[in-house]
Amino acid sequence: MRGKSVLLIIGGGIAAYKSLELIRALKTRGCGVHAILTQAGTEFVTPLSVASLSGEKVFTDLFSLTDESEMGHIELSRSADLLVVAPATADLMAKLAGGLANDLASTALLATDKPVLMAPAMNVRMWNHPATQRNLAALKKDGVLFVGPNDGEMACGEFGPGRMAEPAEIAAAIEKYFASGGRLNGLRALVTAGPTQEPIDPVRFIANRSSGKQGYAIADALARAGAETTLVSGPVDIAAPTSVRLLKVTTAREMLAACESALPADVAVMTAAVADWRPEVALNSKIKKDAGAKAPAIQMAENPDILATLARHAQRPGLLIGFAAETENVVAYAQAKLKKKGCDWIVANDVSPATGVMGGDRNTVHIVTAGGVEDWPEMQKSEVGTRLAARIADAVRGKAA
Ligand code: C5P
């Protein structure tokens, strides 16, 4: 983070005291910090504490003529590499989602041309309120990044999501953002993840063992690199990365429709384990097990191939990446798949039960392109995501970018 600078907006919440720790964490890592304290923020921490820790003048009032003549709010919001809002109160989220600019903090947020990372902190009911959730969805759609909130006991005595992420977590998210260089800023990414479920009747379905972990990690990494990311996910048990737009689907056909609704995209990474077939008819009532009756035969129909469909699409993603989960001849099958599907890269991995890849946290992948094969060592799925996002940035921005 050395040489980078953050404009930290401290909103009015009890978690504001943790922002002092965040300033220290950033300064220790060599990152410069300018701070804006909202009016409400000054009720929780003093400008003097913030100035002492940041080593910089603290901005508090939009209409201070001296501040404006030294550094106007527009320049202030653009001279940083990243804007961080911590704590991001329900009010600050609502203001930015609605485009309001009636104080220095909200004006800086609206005037900036830099990415914004928010660390929400509020009472659990405020966080769960449909209005806040609407604002969250709108902000994510606009490309705002999020860290937290975490679950836990809150200052108000209630329990649940709403606790601000810890300063170390926020600093790590900022570090991750800078490590990715924000190189995918302004680009749109689409990721599919998880299995699909194909109904037999209202209570039964056909699915597979995909956990969605790899796809979620890729979506997270693309979003952290600055891409406006849509994650189309089948039913999985993991929490969505906070900075992506999540479209939850059940069947392959729903997944295809959701993907098409997310076009155009500069990059698409299809990690979902889409069911190749579905029961031709999904019955409206449960199949009964009548004594002595024959076991029912299920007639199957082929599902659309989402990857191949996007490859032929009028709005074909600029860089289209498929996955190949194989149990043998991994690279050879991937090379054949590259041609068959009409995509640009195939990320191939061995999912034989002995590898523990399905459902596990680690993966060993091979990047297969028309130009050759890159064998990556075994690493965490999150690391595969980060490295793939960097590799994608190399491809779309050029190595030197
Ligand atoms: O043909 P196979 O299922 O091995 O291909 C894997 C790749 O194709 C993955 O990227 C997967 O997400 C994608 N796929 C798809 N739609 C299907 C089947 C696979 O998008 N119906």
Side-chain angles (χ1 to χ4, degrees):
M1 289 208 234
R2 204 150 290 283
K4 296 289 183 194
S5 95
V6 156
L7 177 63
L8 175 64
I9 295 174
I10 304 177
I14 183 62
Y17 78 93
K18 293 194 198 169
S19 305
L20 300 179
E21 191 64 38
L22 175 62
I23 297 173
R24 279 176 57 98
L26 293 175
K27 296 288 286 183
T28 318
R29 288 165 160 89
C31 181
V33 182
H34 278 93
I36 292 178
L37 252 178
T38 65
Q39 187 72 39
T42 59
E43 304 287 336
F44 293 91
V45 290
T46 68
L48 184 59
S49 315
V50 176
S52 307
L53 289 166
S54 67
E56 303 284 351
K57 177 179 165 52
V58 177
F59 297 87
T60 51
D61 179 12
L62 177 56
F63 301 106
S64 161
L65 287 178
T66 32
D67 286 358
E68 280 296 306
S69 60
E70 283 168 23
M71 191 194 259
H73 60 277
I74 298 205
E75 196 189 330
L76 180 64
S77 73
R78 295 185 187 169
S79 57
D81 297 298
L82 177 70
L83 270 63
V84 176
V85 189
T89 57
D91 181 63
L92 277 170
M93 286 177 62
K95 275 185 180 158
L96 184 58
L100 299 183
N102 60 356
D103 61 7
L104 179 54
S106 52
T107 307
L109 284 167
L110 210 59
T112 192
D113 57 357
K114 296 292 164 32
V116 175
L117 172 75
M118 287 190 155
M122 65 197 73
N123 167 274
V124 56
R125 285 178 196 271
M126 292 172 76
W127 174 253
N128 286 332
H129 195 285
T132 305
Q133 291 301 312
R134 244 190 342 263
N135 292 333
L136 175 69
L139 291 169
K140 279 187 187 170
K141 195 154 181 249
D142 292 344
V144 173
L145 304 171
F146 283 86
V147 52
N150 295 340
D151 273 21
E153 193 169 344
M154 315 228 255
C156 55
E158 288 186 42
F159 193 90
R163 263 176 79 97
M164 188 169 86
E166 294 304 318
E169 273 176 80
I170 303 174
I174 295 170
E175 193 154 37
K176 210 164 167 187
Y177 170 78
F178 284 135
S180 74
R183 293 175 64 205
L184 295 176
N185 268 343
L187 297 187
R188 287 166 60 104
L190 165 66
V191 179
T192 63
T196 62
Q197 289 179 354
E198 309 296 335
I200 297 169
D201 66 19
V203 296
R204 302 183 180 94
F205 56 80
I206 295 173
N208 59 69
R209 291 187 197 284
S210 169
S211 67
K213 282 183 185 170
Q214 187 59 82
Y216 274 53
I218 291 168
D220 186 31
L222 291 170
R224 288 187 188 280
E228 188 189 320
T229 305
T230 302
L231 172 59
V232 179
S233 173
V236 293
D237 270 342
I238 45 178
T242 40
S243 336
V244 306
R245 181 166 73 114
L246 179 67
L247 302 179
K248 288 210 110 176
V249 297
T250 305
T251 67
R253 287 182 295 176
E254 286 168 15
M255 187 172 272
L256 174 60
C259 286
E260 288 184 309
S261 79
L263 296 176
D266 300 286
V267 180
V269 188
M270 309 277 108
T271 69
V274 185
D276 291 317
W277 301 280
R278 66 176 181 277
E280 191 159 41
V281 275
L283 297 170
N284 288 330
S285 51
K286 187 181 165 191
I287 306 172
K288 300 300 287 177
K289 194 174 93 176
D290 295 326
K294 264 178 46 185
I298 300 173
Q299 180 64 39
M300 304 291 275
E302 197 170 337
N303 264 336
D305 187 315
I306 300 168
L307 177 59
T309 306
L310 293 196
R312 299 187 303 263
H313 205 278
Q315 290 183 297
R316 183 193 194 275
L319 178 63
L320 180 58
I321 304 174
F323 261 66
E326 303 288 356
T327 50
E328 55 191 6
N329 299 330
V330 174
V331 170
Y333 281 150
Q335 280 162 330
K337 199 162 289 182
L338 192 65
K339 292 209 185 76
K340 194 176 113 203
K341 302 263 185 176
C343 57
D344 302 305
W345 304 354
I346 287 277
V347 180
N349 58 352
D350 187 344
V351 292
S352 316
T355 62
V357 167
M358 278 277 187
D361 288 323
R362 300 182 73 79
N363 205 354
T364 309
V365 303
H366 313 271
I367 312 294
V368 180
T369 70
V373 181
E374 285 170 33
D375 298 312
W376 289 6
E378 187 191 315
M379 59 186 91
Q380 293 281 337
K381 287 182 175 172
S382 57
E383 181 68 19
V384 171
T386 309
R387 285 187 53 166
L388 191 64
R391 183 72 180 72
I392 288 168
D394 286 345
V396 298
R397 298 283 200 208
K399 280 245 185 251

